[in-house]
């Protein structure tokens, strides 16, 4: 198969790029293995005109919209390899598809590292979160826990205070510096240093934290600050430069990486991690790719 662009990843960034490329009459193969980052969440918040739609519904509508363009092919598969080849890129997928693409757009996203807490899986995305911009607003008037080891939980707790008045900091059996304790006191935030035994709540709604000490804490939500990593190593294999956070470095005007012809959109660059930004970066990368083709064909400067 020979295409103008292979888009790797079919979250908001990849689908947005495929939409604009399809509307630019470019031949596109979009491959996605459907592990979108927010799939555990029931609602997307903060997306203009689409607030509170479920991620599954959003993606289903987006796929249908993109698939309506005759030059775009969507495949549910993982891209396993991309190699530079004679000014283009050879690719291979887990379902056996192989081919050549003139340009590559990586929209492969990130994977979150969840805290190791018993009971977290059933609550994650519903009442246990990592992003205040996504979910902080919903907790006005409720009690929220800021979870993080060492000073991380304390830093998060102080920030949450802007969104929610009733915040408790849990350091899960780890020590917190004197400086952080002072800051917590200044902001009237309670610190619980006991090790957490489990999280509990019906139907995904956190209701109580149980400590190993035997005591408990009633609360409605928990925000954590751990880390995340790239969901794909294709950019490493291609030699794209990364920043100190592990984000793939891109040109802010074009989304092109340090490897000419390879573009990145969405969370993989670790800029602002929101659906709206992923959609925007996908569109921006697609326009830059189309302009590069127009220049190649002598149709623009
Ligand atoms: C629990 C949770 C809740 C969130 N809530 C919100 C919210 O309310 N509002 C908001 O704006 N943002 C929210 N976010 C952030 C939002 O999910 C991301 O910013 C957004 O999904 C980024 O889009 P993306 O297209 O870059 O990546 P993703 O949506 O993660 O999509 C990447 C896709 O690429 C695929 N992929 C990766 N490697 C390969 C490969 N080699 N081959 C084929 N496919 C591949 C993955 O399987 C995945 O389907 C939330 C995040 C989480 C974790």
């Amino acid at each position: 198969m020979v295409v103008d662009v292979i888009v790797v990843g079919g979250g908001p960034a990849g689908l947005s790029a495929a939409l604009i490329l399809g509307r630019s009459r470019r031949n596109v193969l979009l491959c996605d293995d459907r592990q979108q980052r927010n799939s555990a969440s029931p609602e997307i918040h903060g997306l203009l005109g689409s607030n509170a739609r479920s991620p599954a519904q959003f993606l289903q509508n987006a796929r249908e919209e993109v698939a309506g363009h005759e030059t775009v092919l969507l495949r549910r598969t993982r891209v396993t390899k991309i190699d530079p080849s004679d000014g283009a890129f050879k690719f291979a997928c887990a379902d056996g598809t192989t081919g050549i693409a003139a340009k590559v757009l990586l929209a492969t996203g990130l994977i979150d590292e969840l805290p190791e807490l018993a009971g977290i899986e059933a609550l994650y995305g519903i009442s246990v979160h990592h992003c205040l911009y996504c979910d902080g607003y919903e907790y006005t008037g409720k009690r929220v826990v800021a979870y993080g080891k060492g000073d991380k939980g304390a830093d998060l707790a102080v920030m949450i205070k802007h969104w929610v008045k009733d915040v408790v900091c849990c350091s899960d059996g780890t020590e917190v510096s004197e400086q952080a304790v002072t800051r917590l006191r200044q902001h009237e935030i309670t610190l619980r240093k006991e090790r957490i035994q489990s999280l509990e709540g019906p139907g995904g709604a956190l209701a109580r934290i149980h400590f190993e000490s035997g005591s408990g804490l009633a609360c409605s939500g928990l925000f954590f600050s751990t880390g995340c990593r790239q969901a794909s190593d294709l950019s490493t294999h291609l030699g794209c430069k990364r920043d100190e956070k592990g984000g793939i470095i891109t040109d802010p005007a074009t989304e092109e990486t340090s490897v000419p012809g390879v573009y990145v959109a969405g969370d993989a660059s670790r800029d602002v991690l929101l659906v709206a930004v992923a959609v925007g970066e996908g569109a921006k990368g697609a326009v830059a790719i189309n302009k590069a083709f127009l220049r190649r064909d002598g149709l623009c400067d």
Side-chain angles (χ1 to χ4, degrees):
M1 174 185 296
V2 177
V3 291
D4 295 319
V5 187
I6 180 163
V7 175
V8 189
L15 286 164
S16 170
L19 176 66
I20 300 299
L21 288 164
R23 294 181 59 79
S24 305
R25 306 210 168 277
R26 300 296 171 190
N27 289 310
V28 177
L29 172 66
L30 181 148
C31 298
D32 180 34
D33 67 355
R34 301 225 183 155
Q35 303 292 319
Q36 281 85 8
R37 193 168 159 233
N38 58 349
S39 49
S41 171
E43 293 182 349
I44 302 174
H45 298 138
L47 182 59
L48 193 66
S50 245
N51 200 40
R53 201 142 48 114
S54 78
Q57 190 61 56
F58 173 85
L59 289 168
Q60 179 59 29
N61 293 354
R63 276 185 213 115
E64 284 165 11
E65 206 175 321
V66 172
H69 297 77
E70 64 269 25
T71 60
V72 182
L73 187 61
L74 304 185
R75 280 226 173 132
R76 184 170 185 171
T77 184
R78 189 162 183 88
V79 179
T80 51
K81 213 167 180 209
I82 304 182
D83 286 307
S85 168
D86 291 335
F89 299 90
K90 268 203 282 194
F91 61 83
C93 305
D95 69 352
T97 307
T98 56
I100 304 268
K103 309 263 184 217
V104 174
L105 189 141
L106 299 175
T108 43
L110 298 172
I111 292 178
D112 293 279
E113 286 152 8
L114 297 193
E116 287 180 19
L117 295 171
I120 194 170
E121 246 116 70
L123 307 167
Y124 178 56
I126 303 168
S127 57
V128 171
H129 316 275
H130 68 287
C131 170
L132 282 160
Y133 295 94
C134 303
D135 297 294
Y137 185 83
E138 275 62 37
Y139 286 94
T140 309
K142 299 176 185 169
R143 176 180 290 157
V144 157
V145 162
Y147 174 89
K149 298 199 169 171
D151 286 3
K152 276 191 176 173
D155 292 344
L156 180 63
V158 170
M159 193 157 57
I160 293 179
K161 195 77 185 182
H162 168 74
W163 274 266
V164 185
K165 296 260 172 304
D166 191 356
V167 184
V168 177
C169 173
C170 289
S171 69
D172 198 11
T174 61
E175 281 309 314
V176 177
S177 72
E178 256 323 299
Q179 208 183 0
V181 170
T182 307
R183 273 186 89 207
L184 289 173
R185 244 187 249 123
Q186 280 165 352
H187 292 276
E188 298 175 356
I189 297 169
T190 306
L191 172 63
R192 301 283 303 252
K193 291 203 274 186
E194 306 106 294
R195 267 182 81 90
I196 293 175
Q197 188 178 58
S198 62
L199 310 181
E200 186 204 321
L206 177 63
R208 200 165 183 81
I209 292 184
H210 297 283
F211 296 102
E212 283 184 357
S213 60
S215 64
L217 176 71
C219 57
S220 303
L222 179 147
F223 283 79
F224 63 87
S225 131
T226 45
C228 43
R229 58 188 155 82
Q230 292 289 338
S232 159
D233 59 7
L234 291 172
S235 64
T236 312
H237 183 74
L238 281 161
C240 303
K241 285 191 184 146
R242 301 261 194 101
D243 62 21
E244 67 286 349
K245 283 194 296 180
I248 305 165
I249 296 172
T250 55
D251 179 324
T254 62
E255 310 295 341
E256 194 167 18
T257 67
S258 57
V259 178
V262 178
Y263 297 71
V264 163
D267 283 2
S269 64
R270 296 196 67 154
D271 188 5
V272 176
L273 308 182
L274 288 175
V275 172
V277 176
V279 169
E281 288 178 0
K284 205 165 151 192
V287 168
I289 289 172
N290 190 52
K291 275 191 180 162
F293 286 137
L294 291 173
R295 271 195 297 274
R296 176 197 66 187
D297 299 338
L299 298 172
C300 84
D301 295 333

